């Protein structure tokens, strides 16, 4: 992108979420450089209507039918297309006018619309890591086939992408993904049974949507990021390590064959990786708090504790198992997280529910997209009935 370029046309899948609203914040700082095409949401049409009035996109797509019907009464003067359902999201994602599609829906719901953007050959700013967890092999194959581009928005993967610029692939020996450790980094095992949703929703360094915040507390988010790295950068699981770094200043590191390690650093704000995906391969000025290392004082590191945080181990296991395993783990995790937030499952039972679901599902070595959609649905159903059984025995 250059300053004299025509504005880039941007569609945001999941505009009303944490990443979606931060993307709108970035775009609104230099409105001449961008044109908003579609904004999409699931049910939060009041927020979407506010966004429409404020940012004036060309069109909207709303997943939920009742919310879609309500949108008209909220924005009676809106003359652009108002698309509905997953088909509507896919139409918005695939629209030929898109230059960049920001994939910021949460969980498996992003898989089919993001694939529509890939099949249209678009540049995709990918926040929705669950797409690569559930269908990484399919996505990377489709990206190659359709000439699409995946640019990471996840801060760790944005860091890695920045560290490998100009480097030969064969010179890379290891990725070191940093993790804050979440709110329970120092909580003793005995106290894990007292963890409530309110405690788990209090992340020390980042303000994010509820689902990823719980995933950060179990370290499943970090496990998913290992899987995401495997697919985004075509690297073996054995070459992706995780280190706990509570200050969240180093966003990740890349080690090279000569022992040299590059780190990408900055204050913990998603505005930087979001903007980088929008301006890639260039940078643009961004008004964020400067990094004051002397004020921060110390950057510290710890090994992850796989006993207290079994979800991280499960993620490595399903990555090694390949095929449908990670899709099943993702679906079971979504059920477990929703149940934990609804106070129907203790925090300590989240990994158990995922493992039991994995044990109850047949392994499919090379699932198609239709298979992945069916496997996700079946895994959710299994996880839900296991959950009911668990609550009867609890
Ligand atoms: P969020 O819950 O704040 O927002 C989710 C968005 O997706 C909303 O716009 C919602 O309307 C939409 N959505 C939810 N379910 C949907 C469905 N079934 N159909 C259609 N739309 C649906 O989530 P978030 O924190 O912004 O996270 C979005 C994605 O980005 C996740 O995959 C997350 O892992 C990833 N991510 C988030 C952050 C962060 O700082 N929030 C950082 C890195 C990666
Ligand atoms: Mg991350």
């Amino acid at each position: 992108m250059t300053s004299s370029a025509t504005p880039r046309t941007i569609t945001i899948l999941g505009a009303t979420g944490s990443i979606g609203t931060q993307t709108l914040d970035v775009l609104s700082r230099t409105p001449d450089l961008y044109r908003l095409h579609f904004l999409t949401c699931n049910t939060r049409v009041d927020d979407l209507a506010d966004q429409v009035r404020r940012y004036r996109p060309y069109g909207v797509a709303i997943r939920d039918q009742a919310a879609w019907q309500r949108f008209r009464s909220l924005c009676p003067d809106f003359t652009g297309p108002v698309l509905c359902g997953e088909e509507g999201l896919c139409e918005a994602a695939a629209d030929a006018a898109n230059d960049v599609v920001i994939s910021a829906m949460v969980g498996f719901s992003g898989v089919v619309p993001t694939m529509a953007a890939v099949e249209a050959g678009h540049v995709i700013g990918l926040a929705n890591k669950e797409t690569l967890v559930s269908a990484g092999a399919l996505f990377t194959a489709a990206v190659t086939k359709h000439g699409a581009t995946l640019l990471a928005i996840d801060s760790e993967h944005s860091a890695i992408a920045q560290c490998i610029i100009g480097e030969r692939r064969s010179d890379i020996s290891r990725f070191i993904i940093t993790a804050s450790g979440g709110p329970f980094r120092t909580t003793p095992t005995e106290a894990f049974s007292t963890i409530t949703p309110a405690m788990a929703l209090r992340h020390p360094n980042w303000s994010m949507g509820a689902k990823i915040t719980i995933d950060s507390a179990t370290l499943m988010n970090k496990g998913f990021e290992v899987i995401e790295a495997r697919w985004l950068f075509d690297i073996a699981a054995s070459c992706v390590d995780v280190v706990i770094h509570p200050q969240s200043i180093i966003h990740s590191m890349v080690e090279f064959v000569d022992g040299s390690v590059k780190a990408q650093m900055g204050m913990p704000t998603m505005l930087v990786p979001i903007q980088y995906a929008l301006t890639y391969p260039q940078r643009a000025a961004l008004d964020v708090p400067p990094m004051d290392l002397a004020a921060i004082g110390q950057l510290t590191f710890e090994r992850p504790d796989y006993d207290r945080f079994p979800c991280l181990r499960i993620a490595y296991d399903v990555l090694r198992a390949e095929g449908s395993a990670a899709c099943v783990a993702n679906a079971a995790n979504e059920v477990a997280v929703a149940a934990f937030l609804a106070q129907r499952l203790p925090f300590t039972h989240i990994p158990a529910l995922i493992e039991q679901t994995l044990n109850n599902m047949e392994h499919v070595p090379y699932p198609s997209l239709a298979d992945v959609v069916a496997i996700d649905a079946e895994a959710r159903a299994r996880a839900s009935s296991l959950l009911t059984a668990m609550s009867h025995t609890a």
Side-chain angles (χ1 to χ4, degrees):
M1 190 192 64
T2 64
S3 54
S4 59
T6 49
R8 297 183 103 186
T9 302
I10 314 289
T11 280
I12 307 175
L13 304 175
T16 54
S18 162
I19 292 292
T21 51
Q22 291 182 87
T23 303
L24 286 166
D25 179 356
V26 169
L27 298 176
S28 65
R29 292 168 187 233
T30 47
D32 297 348
L33 298 183
Y34 305 105
R35 196 168 43 221
L36 266 182
H37 201 46
F38 278 96
L39 297 181
T40 86
C41 77
N42 187 23
T43 54
R44 286 178 10 208
V45 271
D46 295 276
D47 293 353
L48 188 73
D50 287 344
Q51 292 180 343
V52 163
R53 286 187 280 269
R54 183 158 172 206
Y55 300 108
R56 306 187 170 281
Y58 161 73
V60 296
I62 300 157
R63 176 74 170 83
D64 181 79
Q65 174 115 26
W68 173 74
Q69 276 163 348
R70 221 161 71 72
F71 179 80
R72 279 278 171 231
S73 61
L74 292 169
C75 283
D77 302 331
F78 186 67
T79 53
V82 182
L83 309 176
C84 181
E86 190 169 71
E87 277 165 41
L89 297 182
C90 290
E91 196 180 323
D95 195 291
N98 289 327
D99 289 319
V100 182
V101 176
I102 301 297
S103 168
M105 292 161 62
V106 66
F108 189 86
S109 71
V111 168
V112 173
T114 306
M115 187 59 95
V118 169
E119 287 174 350
H122 292 324
V123 173
I124 293 142
L126 185 77
N128 179 223
K129 67 196 82 184
E130 295 94 336
T131 56
L132 290 181
V133 173
S134 302
L138 291 173
F139 266 94
T140 46
V143 162
T144 308
K145 181 173 171 195
H146 299 285
T149 306
L150 290 184
L151 300 174
I153 285 184
D154 221 345
S155 56
E156 297 75 5
H157 306 75
S158 179
I160 290 169
Q162 293 176 58
C163 290
I164 63 178
I165 285 176
E167 302 287 355
R168 292 187 308 180
R169 288 200 59 88
S170 54
D171 290 341
I172 297 169
S173 57
R174 192 164 57 116
F175 290 168
I176 305 162
I177 295 185
T178 51
S180 70
F184 308 121
R185 180 176 62 86
T186 57
T187 305
T189 317
E190 317 79 74
F192 268 49
S193 59
T194 64
I195 292 173
T196 62
M199 290 158 76
L201 285 169
R202 245 177 272 130
H203 194 279
N205 302 345
W206 301 94
S207 163
M208 311 177 285
K211 195 262 179 184
I212 184 177
T213 306
I214 302 306
D215 287 347
S216 301
T218 61
L219 292 200
M220 185 47 107
N221 180 54
K222 211 44 60 179
F224 284 169
E225 290 182 355
V226 171
I227 301 176
E228 182 184 11
R230 183 264 172 271
W231 295 114
L232 271 179
F233 302 107
D234 191 17
I235 192 164
S238 56
C239 298
V240 186
D241 284 348
V242 171
V243 68
I244 306 293
H245 165 48
Q247 297 79 18
S248 298
I249 295 296
I250 296 182
H251 299 310
S252 277
M253 295 170 260
V254 177
E255 180 192 72
F256 297 91
V257 286
D258 59 358
S260 180
V261 176
K262 282 190 189 175
Q264 189 267 341
M265 303 165 71
M267 297 306 282
T269 165
M270 288 306 294
L271 297 178
V272 175
I274 290 170
Q275 173 167 290
Y276 189 66
L278 289 165
T279 61
Y280 177 87
Q282 299 180 16
R283 294 181 187 274
L286 185 66
D287 187 16
V288 290
M291 187 174 75
D292 182 346
L293 281 177
I296 293 162
Q298 282 192 324
L299 299 182
T300 60
F301 305 93
E302 298 160 19
R303 281 184 217 293
D305 183 338
Y306 291 87
D307 294 328
R308 279 188 311 139
F309 299 100
C311 286
L312 184 56
R313 178 186 47 73
I314 294 174
Y316 274 104
D317 288 348
V318 295
L319 179 52
R320 285 191 205 95
E322 298 185 348
S324 56
C327 176
V328 171
N330 177 70
N333 181 60
E334 287 192 34
V335 172
V337 169
F340 168 66
L341 285 170
Q343 296 183 296
R344 292 184 55 218
L345 185 74
F347 187 81
T348 45
H349 288 34
I350 293 175
L353 184 62
I354 300 168
E355 291 203 301
Q356 288 183 25
T357 309
L358 281 162
N359 294 338
N360 271 270
M361 292 282 295
E362 214 173 288
H363 186 75
V364 181
Y366 301 104
S368 66
L369 187 61
D371 293 337
V372 162
V373 171
I375 292 163
D376 171 77
E378 193 185 338
R380 276 166 203 274
R382 294 275 166 100
S384 300
S385 50
L386 287 163
L387 176 69
T388 311
M390 264 184 188
S391 46
H392 284 314
T393 52

